[in-house]
């Protein structure tokens, strides 16, 4: 057994999706939880998410981290709210033994999408306070336990003093969970010709393309991608599967993909492109794509041979645009970019 195989055995990974509500509700857990926690996805979903947290801070702390923060009506920093977090939690397995989990959590729409890596050999060392590193927004380390107490006291002191509001997202976002290409079995290439299927997608996808979540379940993701970008996106998914890092890519989706037989088909040459930037991460049994819409553009022109030309930038608007790679800096202490992706 190679060192990589040993690492996969002792550090299994899985994907979990839950609501932002209190108490939170689990919507999806990938099958990798069996190796990580010794439980089936169905059992975990039935029990609820925070039921398994072994650390001694309250379950309210975890829910508070993803709650929409109220702001003063004249607060100019309304968009400065983080939506990507990295944290460490101990999660109880089937035998009630705490297992250390590194969690990369993405808040999108009304959901939180998590890529969890379980460290089966790590000893238990109780986290009495929940701390998280915000990877966007103010890009600061957050002591969620202390922040929740302070916020509760502040709200009580200022209740009724002046209007409050919630921060609004500037760019629509959605999250896709795809099956892992390396786990797809076909007779010839070991890959589906149409690419990995969509396992889960958040409801906010309707704000980006003309598609319904119920129609996208088990639908090939590459069929949503503009034809001139299919090879690029296919290679991107392959890189994610082979990497333990968060990777970024920019590509276009079709505004009106042809999903249901019988619907009016809009030809690719007339189908508006929706430009998205993707933040991707992979677990051993799934690939997560967090997409942010950054603009729209006309379909590119084609040469005499029928090949798409990428020269046409159409109506894509990059004013005030900051890329995900810039927002999610590897050096959170020195970056000076404010939040544009919350």
């Amino acid at each position: 057994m190679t060192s990589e195989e040993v690492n996969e055995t002792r550090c299994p990974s899985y994907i979990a999706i839950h609501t932002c509500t209190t108490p939170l509700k689990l919507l999806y857990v990938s099958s990798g939880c069996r190796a990580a926690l010794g439980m089936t996805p169905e059992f975990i979903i039935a029990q609820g998410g925070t039921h398994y947290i072994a650390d001694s801070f309250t379950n309210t702390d975890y829910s508070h981290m993803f709650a929409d923060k109220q702001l003063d009506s004249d607060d100019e920093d309304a968009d400065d709210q983080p939506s990507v977090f990295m944290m460490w939690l101990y999660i109880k397995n089937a035998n009630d033994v705490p297992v250390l989990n590194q969690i990369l959590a993405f808040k999108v729409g009304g959901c939180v999408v998590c890529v969890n890596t379980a460290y089966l050999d790590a000893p238990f060392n109780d986290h009495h306070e929940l701390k998280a590193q915000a990877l966007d927004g103010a890009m600061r380390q957050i002591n969620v336990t202390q922040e929740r107490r302070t916020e509760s006291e502040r709200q009580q002191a200022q209740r009724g003093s002046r209007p409050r509001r919630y921060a609004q997202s500037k760019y629509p976002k959605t999250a896709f969970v795809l099956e892992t290409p390396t786990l797809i079995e076909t007779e010839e290439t070991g890959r589906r010709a149409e690419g990995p299927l969509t396992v889960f997608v958040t409801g906010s996808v309707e704000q980006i393309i003309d598609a319904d979540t119920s129609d996208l379940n088990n639908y090939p993701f590459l069929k949503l991608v503009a034809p001139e970008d299919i090879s690029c996106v296919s290679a991107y998914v392959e890189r994610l599967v082979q990497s333990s890092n968060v990777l970024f890519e920019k590509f276009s989706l079709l505004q009106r993909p042809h999903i249901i037989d019988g619907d009016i088909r809009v030809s690719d040459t007339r189908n508006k492109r929706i430009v998205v930037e993707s933040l991707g991460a992979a677990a051993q049994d799934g690939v997560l794509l967090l997409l942010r819409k950054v603009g729209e553009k006309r379909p590119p022109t084609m040469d005499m041979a029928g090949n798409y030309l990428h020269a046409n930038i159409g109506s894509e608007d990059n004013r005030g645009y900051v890329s995900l790679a810039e927002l999610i800096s590897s050096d959170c202490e020195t970056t000076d970019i404010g939040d544009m992706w919350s």
Side-chain angles (χ1 to χ4, degrees):
M1 182 178 292
T2 67
S3 59
E4 290 184 358
E5 290 172 332
V6 171
N7 184 63
E8 288 185 1
T9 301
R10 301 310 301 167
C11 300
S13 56
Y14 59 103
I15 295 172
I17 302 175
H18 62 75
T19 63
C20 297
T21 57
T22 303
L24 64 82
K25 178 182 178 181
L26 279 169
L27 303 175
Y28 171 84
V29 180
S30 69
S31 60
C33 65
R34 292 187 177 94
L37 302 173
M39 294 178 282
T40 64
E42 295 78 12
F43 183 82
I44 293 177
I45 291 173
Q47 295 297 314
T50 54
H51 171 79
Y52 294 102
I53 296 178
D55 295 289
S56 60
F57 54 78
T58 67
N59 293 344
T60 308
D61 291 345
Y62 183 82
S63 301
H64 172 82
M65 180 163 51
F66 304 110
D68 290 330
K69 303 300 187 294
Q70 287 188 325
L71 302 166
D72 293 330
S73 58
D74 57 353
D75 191 344
E76 295 183 357
D77 295 326
D79 289 331
D80 192 19
Q81 299 294 323
S83 59
V84 185
F85 306 85
M86 195 281 286
M87 73 200 83
W88 296 84
L89 297 180
Y90 283 97
I91 298 177
K92 298 175 186 177
N93 65 12
N95 297 318
D96 279 342
V97 176
V99 176
L100 182 63
N101 277 243
Q102 182 192 54
I103 300 177
L104 187 62
F106 310 89
K107 180 180 176 182
V108 51
C111 302
V112 177
V113 185
C114 302
V115 178
N116 298 2
T117 302
Y119 292 83
L120 303 183
D121 296 327
F124 179 55
N125 184 15
D126 190 355
H127 299 134
H128 298 285
E129 296 178 323
L130 175 57
K131 297 180 180 179
Q133 176 66 54
L135 300 182
D136 66 342
M139 295 185 183
R140 61 186 179 90
Q141 188 172 31
I142 305 171
N143 186 319
V144 182
T145 302
Q146 292 183 5
E147 184 183 81
R148 181 184 62 82
R149 295 169 182 164
T150 302
E151 176 68 14
S152 178
E153 293 172 357
R154 187 171 73 94
Q155 288 185 8
Q156 289 182 5
Q158 296 184 351
R159 186 167 296 168
S161 60
R162 54 179 172 173
R164 309 284 286 173
R165 64 189 176 89
Y166 290 95
Q168 300 296 318
S169 176
K170 184 173 182 179
Y171 297 100
K173 292 175 292 185
T174 190
F176 281 81
V177 177
L178 313 180
E179 60 182 349
T180 302
T182 54
L183 298 181
I184 303 170
E185 296 183 2
T186 60
E187 294 182 359
E188 298 179 359
T189 64
R191 299 287 192 276
R192 295 189 198 278
E194 66 272 24
L197 302 182
T198 299
V199 177
F200 184 92
V201 61
T202 58
S204 53
V205 68
E206 299 171 9
Q207 301 175 31
I208 297 178
I209 61 174
D210 187 7
D212 186 83
T213 53
S214 59
D215 298 328
L216 293 177
N217 189 37
N218 291 323
Y219 187 80
F221 178 74
L222 292 183
K223 288 189 175 182
L224 305 177
V225 177
E228 65 273 14
D229 286 343
I230 287 178
S231 61
C232 168
V233 175
S234 180
Y236 173 51
V237 173
E238 292 287 344
R239 293 201 311 273
L240 286 169
V241 172
Q242 298 169 14
S243 174
S244 60
N245 297 323
V246 174
L247 302 179
F248 305 90
E249 190 60 75
K250 189 175 180 182
F251 53 89
S252 294
L253 302 176
L254 296 172
Q255 183 185 47
R256 297 185 61 186
H258 186 73
I259 299 174
I260 303 175
D261 291 337
D263 281 358
I264 298 175
R265 179 187 293 271
V266 178
S267 68
D268 293 341
T269 57
R270 300 181 61 185
N271 212 328
K272 183 184 292 184
R273 276 29 174 186
I274 304 300
V275 183
V276 296
E277 191 170 25
S278 171
L279 182 154
Q284 288 158 10
D285 60 348
V287 175
L288 166 67
L289 300 180
L290 190 59
L291 307 182
R292 176 180 74 161
K293 177 181 176 180
V294 298
E296 301 178 358
K297 64 181 181 180
R298 302 185 302 274
T301 56
M302 302 178 71
D303 60 20
M304 297 296 293
N307 300 312
Y308 284 99
L309 303 176
H310 282 268
N312 175 26
I313 62 173
S315 60
E316 183 179 351
D317 185 0
N318 285 329
R319 290 175 297 179
Y321 168 76
V322 180
S323 72
L324 292 179
E326 292 173 303
L327 284 172
I328 302 179
S329 169
S330 59
D331 186 354
C332 298
E333 298 300 324
T334 60
T335 184
D336 60 356
I337 298 176
D339 177 59
M340 293 278 294
W341 195 65
S342 61

